[in-house]
Amino acid sequence: GDEGGRPEASCDVVHMSVSSAEELARKGRKLEEEENLEESVDCFSQALDVISSVGGDDSAVASLASERARVYLKICVKIKSRPAQLSESHALFGFDPLQIAERGLGDAERASKLVPSSAAYQGLRAWALYLCENYESSAKAYRSALGLDPGPTERSEYQEGLARVEALLKGKGGAVLEADDFECSLCFKLFYEPVTTSCGHTFCRSCLLRSQVREKRNHDQGKQLADYWSFLPISAHKQ
């Protein structure tokens, strides 16, 4: 009797695991919509771990991998679009945009290898390669995606992506560097010992250090002033 019950019990475990992965994926999508991208990545990572632990089929693994890839790439774009002024006062520490894009590329390649007939996964891979600044491979991937008969919306998206990449390869579309590209936005001189923050902005090493020291000093002075006022009698605040 026990032996006969084991396959059924095993099926129940698999069913529960798949349901758990689906719930995590739904949560991940909701968090993505709310722009809680880091938490969304965590949910998709947990879902992938669950589905992999029970030997999920290729299509399920590919779907989850592609969703995590998409969120990684959104994080990359978000950091790259961060204003330089914000980087001066609040530098980010951790993975830089290229490292995050490479993680997204790994997931996109995993999905496209598991389901090679998917235009969506190939298009995602093309976007990831673009963000990794591998433009030649990105152009090839966009052409592959277009050859897999995508829907009208996706076709338009891939054609735009291909045109953008081809312009960069031809030296158009802003790929030509200007003198300003080599200037520090803090001292307005040519970079000296340049350092790049994790959000992709570059400054002279000494300029960035001075900016951070100044921010800390202003913060400390503001705290001292706040402490001073907090000890004054109420009447003194009104004067």
Side-chain angles (χ1 to χ4, degrees):
D2 292 339
E3 291 183 1
R6 284 174 188 166
E8 184 178 345
S10 178
C11 289
D12 288 342
V13 170
V14 171
H15 178 73
M16 289 174 63
S17 297
V18 171
S19 297
S20 174
E22 290 174 349
E23 180 58 33
L24 284 164
R26 280 193 291 271
K27 185 178 178 182
R29 293 181 202 108
K30 187 173 188 299
L31 288 165
E32 181 186 355
E33 290 175 3
E34 296 169 351
E35 293 296 314
N36 293 321
L37 301 181
E38 289 80 6
E39 293 179 31
S40 176
V41 164
D42 288 341
C43 284
F44 286 124
S45 296
Q46 291 176 51
L48 270 167
D49 288 343
V50 170
I51 206 71
S52 299
S53 69
V54 294
D57 61 42
D58 288 352
S59 61
V61 174
S63 177
L64 289 171
S66 71
E67 294 198 88
R68 186 171 68 175
R70 182 183 63 239
V71 181
Y72 272 135
L73 300 181
K74 283 185 176 182
I75 293 173
C76 174
V77 171
K78 184 178 180 180
I79 295 175
K80 279 189 170 185
S81 61
R82 199 169 187 254
Q85 294 86 347
L86 194 58
S87 297
E88 294 167 16
S89 57
H90 296 86
L92 294 177
F93 300 96
F95 292 114
D96 64 33
L98 182 58
Q99 289 174 312
I100 295 170
E102 286 172 347
R103 289 192 169 202
L105 175 59
D107 278 342
E109 289 186 331
R110 182 181 182 184
S112 60
K113 285 177 182 177
L114 288 170
V115 187
S117 61
S118 170
Y121 298 161
Q122 196 64 240
L124 188 65
R125 178 172 169 268
W127 183 29
L129 286 163
Y130 166 75
L131 291 175
C132 287
E133 301 177 8
N134 190 341
Y135 301 131
E136 289 186 4
S137 295
S138 177
K140 290 178 183 177
Y142 273 125
R143 293 189 191 101
S144 295
L146 287 166
L148 292 170
D149 196 26
T153 302
E154 290 77 14
R155 177 172 293 278
S156 176
E157 179 186 329
Y158 303 155
Q159 287 172 338
E160 288 178 11
L162 179 59
R164 181 173 59 244
V165 173
E166 287 180 336
L168 287 169
L169 289 170
K170 293 175 183 176
K172 299 178 181 179
V176 178
L177 295 174
E178 304 291 343
D180 290 350
D181 295 321
F182 300 96
E183 284 186 0
C184 171
S185 61
L186 293 175
C187 67
F188 302 105
K189 297 178 182 177
L190 289 176
F191 289 127
Y192 178 71
E193 295 185 337
V195 291
T196 302
T197 63
S198 60
C199 52
H201 298 107
T202 304
F203 310 97
C204 300
R205 180 183 297 277
S206 57
C207 290
L208 182 59
L209 289 174
R210 279 198 299 271
S211 175
Q212 291 173 333
V213 169
R214 184 169 61 249
E215 182 201 4
K216 185 178 186 304
R217 187 186 302 124
N218 291 341
H219 176 270
D220 292 344
Q221 289 175 348
K223 186 176 185 304
Q224 290 171 2
L225 186 60
D227 290 344
Y228 168 76
W229 278 102
S230 68
F231 283 108
L232 286 177
I234 293 176
S235 58
H237 287 262
K238 296 179 180 178
Q239 293 177 358

